[in-house]
Amino acid sequence: MVRARLSRRIAFWIFLNFLVVEGIVLVPSVLRQADRLGEQLREVTNAKLEWLVANGQAGSSQELLEAVRDLQEPAMVKAVEGAAVYRESTGELLGRFGAMPELAAEAKGRDGAAGRWYVLSGAYDAAWGGVSLPGDHLLVIRHGAASISEGLRSYILNIALIVLGIAAFLTLITMLVIHRLVIGRILTLRDRLQLAGTAFSQGGISDPERMLLPPGQADEVGEVEEAFNQSLLTTAAEMTRRRAAEQRAQVERDRAEHLLLNILPAPIAEQMKRGRRTIAETHGDVSVLFADI
């Protein structure tokens, strides 16, 4: 099956199509996984903020920023890279530190449910406001997305291995089916055509029945096989008829030549066979004998 050029070409395109389709499906799957990883990162920070609010450490905007700055300690949330506090009702910037988050206006009024992953900058911004914080505050924290990127690489690698395995398995199964239904029958037909051509070039087939293809399935390849069988039988019968006609013609030629030699001398008969119609010879000295026997 693998040695057939057509099989290799079909297998390549089937495998490539599986990869393209799986790749198209993989993109939204990766984005959903990124959202899940970002949400996990946000939940860790959210748990710390809830503890700070519950203990009264985040009353004013400056206290809120100082509390978030303390989250940068290794024992707290190492991924925090910066934060900004806005007045939620007006969007006024009240304070900030570290890397400036990009998520601000679109997070307004989300009641602490906003979060966005910035792929090119390698950061994840999460926002808290409304019922999540005291006062008229909107807090946006920028997290380093190293954990998200690492999780996505592991996720993509696992999915890629699964996709390759599925694509290889489905390609193999598909090729086995195609080989059984099409490729194998085409190769058998090719071999029979070569044998028939060799036999006809050597004078014909004595037993054409043994070279016929078995009855195929009711499909296009089966129609080609049936056409081959009919053509083989017709050609063999025509060659047999021609050989018989040639043999009869040879017998007639031998018979005509024998009769010609009984009538004329061999040199004269030979000249007549060559197409010469006027046959005359000149002799310088001739004697004529008339005898009554």
Side-chain angles (χ1 to χ4, degrees):
M1 179 181 67
V2 181
R3 291 179 295 178
R5 294 186 297 273
L6 183 59
S7 295
R8 293 196 298 268
R9 191 175 303 170
I10 294 176
F12 169 76
W13 285 110
I14 291 176
F15 186 76
L16 182 62
N17 287 334
F18 277 129
L19 292 184
V20 170
V21 172
E22 293 296 337
I24 295 174
V25 175
L26 180 62
V27 173
S29 177
V30 170
L31 295 178
R32 288 193 298 270
Q33 180 66 10
D35 291 338
R36 286 192 291 267
L37 294 174
E39 185 61 26
Q40 292 174 5
L41 185 62
R42 187 181 185 282
E43 287 176 356
V44 173
T45 306
N46 187 63
K48 301 296 182 181
L49 285 176
E50 287 180 352
W51 180 80
L52 292 173
V53 172
N55 286 273
Q57 301 181 28
S60 66
S61 60
Q62 294 302 320
E63 290 178 347
L64 185 59
L65 281 177
E66 288 299 324
V68 174
R69 191 191 303 271
D70 292 338
L71 294 179
Q72 291 180 302
E73 298 180 3
M76 300 295 283
V77 183
K78 295 185 292 183
V80 173
E81 295 181 347
V85 177
Y86 300 86
R87 193 178 303 280
E88 188 172 16
S89 59
T90 62
E92 176 189 358
L93 179 63
L94 301 178
R96 51 159 293 195
F97 75 89
M100 185 66 179
E102 297 182 30
L103 182 66
E106 61 243 59
K108 185 177 178 180
R110 295 289 186 88
D111 293 332
R116 183 177 178 185
W117 176 44
Y118 295 90
V119 182
L120 298 180
S121 60
Y124 179 82
D125 290 354
W128 289 263
V131 298
S132 301
L133 296 176
D136 188 19
H137 292 150
L138 175 65
L139 173 65
V140 184
I141 300 178
R142 165 144 291 200
H143 300 79
S147 60
I148 296 179
S149 300
E150 182 179 355
L152 285 180
R153 283 194 296 269
S154 177
Y155 178 79
I156 292 174
L157 178 61
N158 292 334
I159 293 298
L161 293 177
I162 293 174
V163 167
L164 288 175
I166 293 175
F169 175 75
L170 292 179
T171 301
L172 178 61
I173 296 300
T174 304
M175 289 311 303
L176 289 174
V177 174
I178 292 178
H179 183 79
R180 180 178 180 84
L181 296 179
V182 180
I183 304 298
R185 295 161 66 186
I186 291 177
L187 294 177
T188 302
L189 177 60
R190 179 201 63 184
D191 296 339
R192 295 297 175 87
L193 282 171
Q194 292 175 345
L195 290 174
T198 302
F200 285 137
S201 65
Q202 294 176 354
I205 303 176
S206 58
D207 186 12
E209 297 290 339
R210 63 181 179 84
M211 297 190 65
L212 294 178
L213 292 170
Q217 302 178 11
D219 51 24
E220 287 76 7
V221 179
E223 293 176 357
V224 174
E225 292 172 340
E226 180 63 24
F228 167 79
N229 289 340
Q230 294 178 359
S231 177
L232 179 65
L233 292 175
T234 302
T235 305
E238 181 63 21
M239 291 195 69
T240 301
R241 187 188 65 79
R242 290 187 179 183
R243 285 200 306 270
E246 290 176 356
Q247 291 175 357
R248 291 193 298 271
Q250 185 62 40
V251 171
E252 294 297 328
R253 285 195 297 269
D254 294 342
R255 181 181 178 186
E257 184 174 357
H258 180 71
L259 292 174
L260 188 62
L261 291 176
N262 285 338
I263 299 173
L264 299 173
I268 303 301
E270 186 65 28
Q271 293 184 44
M272 292 187 66
K273 286 193 296 182
R274 292 176 183 174
R276 186 175 179 182
R277 293 293 177 261
T278 303
I279 302 176
E281 295 183 0
T282 301
H283 299 277
D285 187 7
V286 180
S287 298
V288 178
L289 172 65
F290 293 93
D292 186 6
I293 301 175

